[in-house]
Amino acid sequence: MSRLNQELGLLQGIGLLCTSLLGTGIFVVPALAASAAGDVSLWAWLVLILLVLPVAFTFAQLGRRYPHAGGAPHLIGRAFGERMERLSAFLFLAVLPVGLPAALNIASGFWQALFDLGGPATLAIQLLTLGAILLLGQRPARTSGGVQVAIALVIIATIALIWWLGDLPHAGQPLLPPLQGAWHLLPVALGVMFWCFVGIEAFTHLGEEFRNPRRDFPLALLLGVLLAGLVYWACSVAVLSFHAYGDARSDAASLPRMLDLLLGEKARWLSASIGYLACFASMNVYIQGFSRLIWSLADEGKLPRRLAVRNAQGVPGRALLLVVASCALCALLAWSLSLSLDQLIRYANGNFILIYLLSMAAGWVLLEGLWRWLAGLSALLCAAILLMLGVDALYALGLLGLLMLLEHRREQRRQNAPVG
């Protein structure tokens, strides 16, 4: 029996996942990938979708069989024990210091395109964004689902508008260019682009809140991944066709630049609003996922019980407040240290890929038949993507090593403690 209100349907699930995948990436990452690999990035999107689909199928089967607010760490714990559940939970929560500041950085950048904002004003926008997510998160899950569906439709309509007004595809821009002599650029692009498909693991935390999780959860996950992949590829075609990439400034303003070319100066407010809403939607799903993970661990006695309190709407309000406060602190640190967006994204990717790898290994243990072999293939694919990150993966691997060391010392202290 679900411990949370079961309010989500198929359409709301698709909207939640699609906006989670599109949110912070759709208007920035296609330009970053084009700067890194040029036309080859169009092939990289197709490769990435093929890599992600086995992972999505595995998560779909795991979520269908084991719907739980604990999400990926719960699945890892079912396969490998409570110790690995704690390790993976802390590894997942360790995305906060790098992943959320990256998302807030992208979101505030859309307002910088409208106004000449200084550092303090940018930080204020980021903190106000967190406040809005806190207010929305105190409402029932179906409220967030409805908001996310509306934002997903706006994002898709914007890309469709760019294609229609820009008369895409252009004859001079092949949809799949020749790859001779350019294969080496694929790993470079994939290292940045994987950011776009993180969000699946956060979506698993909402499994308990579907009205029919065995039917709607896997369908929402798979349809959301395919829809997001199609929109990313279409956006990349547009970015390459209008040459809206090339350096850090151009990459960050690729959407406003394309809309300016097609609609003129009046498009600035439109592009800023859409870009900001997309980022807001993605961060909302992640923060709700983090709060449900903390609530679930507290509800099972693995964290202080006071974090297991639900508000009058039946959502984990106290855990949500803790997550939002932590995000605000991380945003302050990232702002004070002036960390670059590219650094933040690559460091966060390492954590996400490691969580995916552990989840796929859990699928190998928990699933049977064809699904077990698919989970094994997915684990190998995740390991290959982790290798592609190179030194950027050291943040996640070093963090995992530190957590394992702390866990080992904790076990030693417990065993050496006097009895009675």
Side-chain angles (χ1 to χ4, degrees), residues 36 46 58 60 118 153 168 203 249 265 270 272 278 297 341 398 402:
L46 297 185
T58 304
L153 291 174
L168 298 180
F203 186 66
R249 188 177 182 85
E265 187 70 17
L270 175 65
L297 292 171
L341 178 60
L402 176 61

Side-chain angles (χ1 to χ4, degrees), residues 371-411:
W371 300 117
R372 187 183 190 212
W373 289 103
L374 189 65
L377 172 63
S378 301
L380 293 175
L381 293 173
C382 290
I385 296 173
L386 191 64
L387 288 174
M388 288 179 188
L389 284 182
V391 294
D392 292 323
L394 293 178
Y395 172 78
L397 293 173
L399 189 59
L400 179 62
L402 176 61
L403 289 171
M404 291 179 72
L405 177 62
L406 293 174
E407 183 68 19
H408 177 69
R409 294 187 65 178
R410 176 180 174 274
E411 286 292 322

Side-chain angles (χ1 to χ4, degrees), residues 300-359:
E300 295 170 354
K302 298 166 186 173
L303 285 177
R305 292 288 302 179
R306 61 181 178 274
L307 294 173
V309 175
R310 293 189 293 165
N311 67 12
Q313 303 293 334
V315 299
R318 189 169 291 179
L320 177 64
L321 178 60
L322 174 63
V323 173
V324 170
S326 300
C327 291
L329 178 61
C330 294
L332 281 165
L333 288 173
W335 174 74
S336 62
L337 295 173
S338 301
L339 296 177
S340 73
L341 178 60
D342 185 64
Q343 282 178 306
L344 292 169
I345 286 178
R346 288 182 179 274
Y347 290 151
N349 277 352
N351 272 48
F352 287 125
I353 296 168
L354 199 51
I355 288 291
Y356 278 40
L357 176 58
L358 293 172
S359 300

Side-chain angles (χ1 to χ4, degrees), residues 21 49 53 197 221-231:
L21 299 180
I49 292 169
L53 277 178
F197 284 94
L221 195 153
L222 295 172
L223 292 174
V225 166
L226 289 172
L227 180 59
L230 176 62
V231 174

Side-chain angles (χ1 to χ4, degrees), residues 14-65:
I14 294 172
L16 281 162
L17 180 60
C18 192
T19 48
S20 173
L21 299 180
L22 292 173
T24 57
I26 185 63
F27 302 127
V28 176
V29 177
L32 289 172
S35 294
D39 290 352
V40 176
S41 62
L42 294 177
W43 278 104
W45 286 114
L46 297 185
V47 171
L48 185 58
I49 292 169
L50 291 176
L51 291 175
V52 167
L53 277 178
V55 177
F57 273 109
T58 304
F59 268 124
Q61 284 302 309
L62 288 169
R64 179 175 178 268
R65 298 185 186 199

Side-chain angles (χ1 to χ4, degrees), residues 114-125:
L114 290 177
F115 306 105
D116 185 18
L117 299 177
T122 300
L123 179 62
I125 290 174

